[in-house]
Amino acid sequence: SVTFNVLLHGFCKQGRVEEATSLLEEMSGNGFSPNRVTFNTLINGFCKAGEASKAAELLEKMGAEGFEPDVITYNTLISGLCRNGKSQEARRLLDEMVSSDCVPDLVTYNSLINVMCKEGKVEEARELFNELTSKGYEPDIYTHNIILHGLCRCDKVDAAAELFGEMLAKGCVPDIVTYNVLIDSFCREGRLNRAMQLLREMENKGCHPDFITYNTLIDGLCKKERVQEAEELFGEMNDRGIMPTVITYNSLIDGRCNVGRIEEATELIDEMFLKGLVPDKVTYNCILKAFCKVGNIQKATDIIQMMIHNGWDPDVVTYGTLIYGLCRSGRYEPAIKILRSMPMKGMLPEAVAYNPILRGLCMRQRTREAMALYTEMLEQGVAPT
RNA sequence: CUUUUUCUUCCGGAA
């Protein structure tokens, strides 16, 4: 059954949880009995696929088949529920975990610290981090990376630098994630040269950059409109045999678009297909935005068609962008029409979708229509920004 | 054999 669990894990890692589930059912019919690891694997699979409720159902089923959840089960669900925005349920599970004498381990604490950071409660996270030692746990590389990332993301760069120093002093060796976090942080601060320097530093320390390192730097350079340097780095990445991902291309595409190289950006889509990479919604949304900005509604519509043709449903961002584009071209009626069609596609327009229309109407002395639309927006329960 | 950390479009947060 170890072999079978490995197989299930493989399916889950590829996001094919449904297939994993049916495979399990099939095997159960043939007399195979799942163990705790089997359940843990599937619970994790559902969590990662964004189906937290199905994961919770599996917990029930697991109990019904006589398996008590263990630390790993709880850890998986706690982080999974939080990722899916169900932190109150996670809280409940944590209590259940403690009351059922299942002792939280370092992984549990790392998850909790991470959630606190993601919720913007970095101070609270730091407190828990400091309490770890007295609880008998030594913060590991995960703990440090989580806190470092949390501090960087809320611009507490000095605190982050200090922690990094402490980390080194304690003999905790920075790993590739640590470097990636720091490089990203430098990029966001606009200190691109420092970020590039860190890339070379990590190599000297024997830590080899991976695709995330390059993606981070390429995106950072693109955001600063240093697209040519980003392209050079992209070349370096290829030379070293590090395969680009969809995210690499999305960054480059967005970068080229933002410096007005829309045609060249579009060419990258073809290149992606040649490399076996499948452009995603983000890819199309980037190009769409570029055409909208220059008021080319025809090309904008074309790209949406291409997106649909390749099997992607336009999302809120797509619609928001198109509405923005139509407004820029003064075409308010079609913009409003699209806005109104959104609920039929199962999407509730947010304020972002209304804003360009409202702004445009106001600037064109069509305040009355703007007010009517604004009232309508409030009636739909959309919060103004 | 299973659980925790890092990268892309829109928005938000802060001002």
Side-chain angles (χ1 to χ4, degrees), chain A residues 183 187 192 195-196 199 213-222 233:
Chain A
I183 287 174
C187 287
L192 267 301
M196 285 300 293
L199 168 70
T213 319
Y214 278 98
N215 285 354
T216 306
L217 281 161
I218 286 171
D219 186 64
L221 288 165
C222 285
L233 211 51

Side-chain angles (χ1 to χ4, degrees), chain A residues 59-326:
Chain A
L59 177 66
E60 303 290 318
K61 193 172 168 198
M62 180 176 179
E65 302 210 6
F67 296 107
E68 288 302 313
D70 63 0
V71 215
I72 296 190
T73 320
Y74 283 117
N75 288 344
T76 308
L77 274 164
I78 288 172
S79 68
L81 288 170
C82 291
R83 235 198 319 272
N84 290 288
K86 308 190 180 235
S87 42
Q88 64 293 336
E89 280 187 55
R91 183 81 231 172
R92 218 203 67 236
L93 259 181
L94 181 65
D95 295 338
E96 182 187 312
M97 178 179 186
V98 174
S99 60
S100 64
D101 291 324
C102 185
V103 185
D105 63 4
L106 187 56
V107 173
T108 321
Y109 285 109
N110 286 344
S111 302
L112 294 176
I113 291 173
N114 186 39
V115 175
M116 291 173 178
C117 289
K118 291 274 147 75
E119 289 175 345
K121 302 170 183 167
V122 192
E123 290 310 323
E124 222 175 294
R126 271 212 79 136
E127 277 174 38
L128 185 53
F129 175 84
N130 292 333
E131 289 166 13
L132 278 181
T133 326
S134 55
K135 289 184 194 287
Y137 297 107
E138 215 33 63
D140 64 0
I141 186 71
Y142 279 82
T143 328
H144 286 97
N145 288 341
I146 290 166
I147 291 279
L148 262 184
H149 182 235
L151 290 171
C152 289
R153 278 304 170 97
C154 61
D155 298 324
K156 300 192 187 294
V157 195
D158 297 335
E162 196 182 328
L163 185 85
F164 185 65
E166 286 171 23
M167 179 177 167
L168 296 177
K170 273 193 283 188
C172 183
V173 183
D175 67 359
I176 183 146
V177 175
T178 319
Y179 284 110
N180 288 346
V181 167
L182 292 175
I183 287 174
D184 184 48
S185 165
F186 281 130
C187 287
R188 283 172 199 274
E189 281 180 78
R191 301 169 63 186
L192 267 301
N193 297 338
R194 185 69 190 86
M196 285 300 293
Q197 200 182 330
L198 198 51
L199 168 70
R200 303 311 171 200
E201 258 173 62
M202 72 190 276
E203 302 182 88
N204 292 337
K205 299 225 166 108
C207 188
H208 300 293
D210 64 358
F211 66 96
I212 295 188
T213 319
Y214 278 98
N215 285 354
T216 306
L217 281 161
I218 286 171
D219 186 64
L221 288 165
C222 285
K223 289 247 154 59
K224 279 274 165 220
E225 306 201 333
R226 291 163 64 168
V227 184
Q228 196 170 327
E229 287 162 87
E231 286 164 352
E232 284 162 17
L233 211 51
F234 179 67
E236 179 181 309
M237 182 180 185
N238 281 300
D239 292 343
R240 304 179 78 165
I242 300 169
M243 294 302 291
T245 65
V246 175
I247 294 185
T248 323
Y249 276 98
N250 287 348
S251 293
L252 281 171
I253 287 173
D254 196 46
R256 284 188 177 180
C257 284
N258 289 334
V259 296
R261 296 165 57 187
I262 312 183
E263 283 312 319
E264 288 172 278
T266 315
E267 287 165 12
L268 289 176
I269 291 195
D270 303 325
E271 194 176 312
M272 286 174 83
F273 280 120
L274 286 177
K275 296 204 178 171
L277 293 170
V278 181
D280 64 7
K281 288 189 194 193
V282 176
T283 320
Y284 297 108
N285 285 340
C286 288
I287 300 202
L288 173 65
K289 179 184 62 182
F291 284 129
C292 285
K293 271 194 179 160
V294 297
N296 194 334
I297 300 300
Q298 181 55 53
K299 291 270 191 190
T301 318
D302 289 348
I303 204 77
I304 293 179
Q305 288 313 315
M306 183 174 176
M307 173 177 183
I308 295 171
H309 179 254
N310 286 313
W312 298 99
D313 289 329
D315 62 8
V316 247
V317 179
T318 316
Y319 282 102
T321 308
L322 182 60
I323 289 171
Y324 155 85
L326 288 166

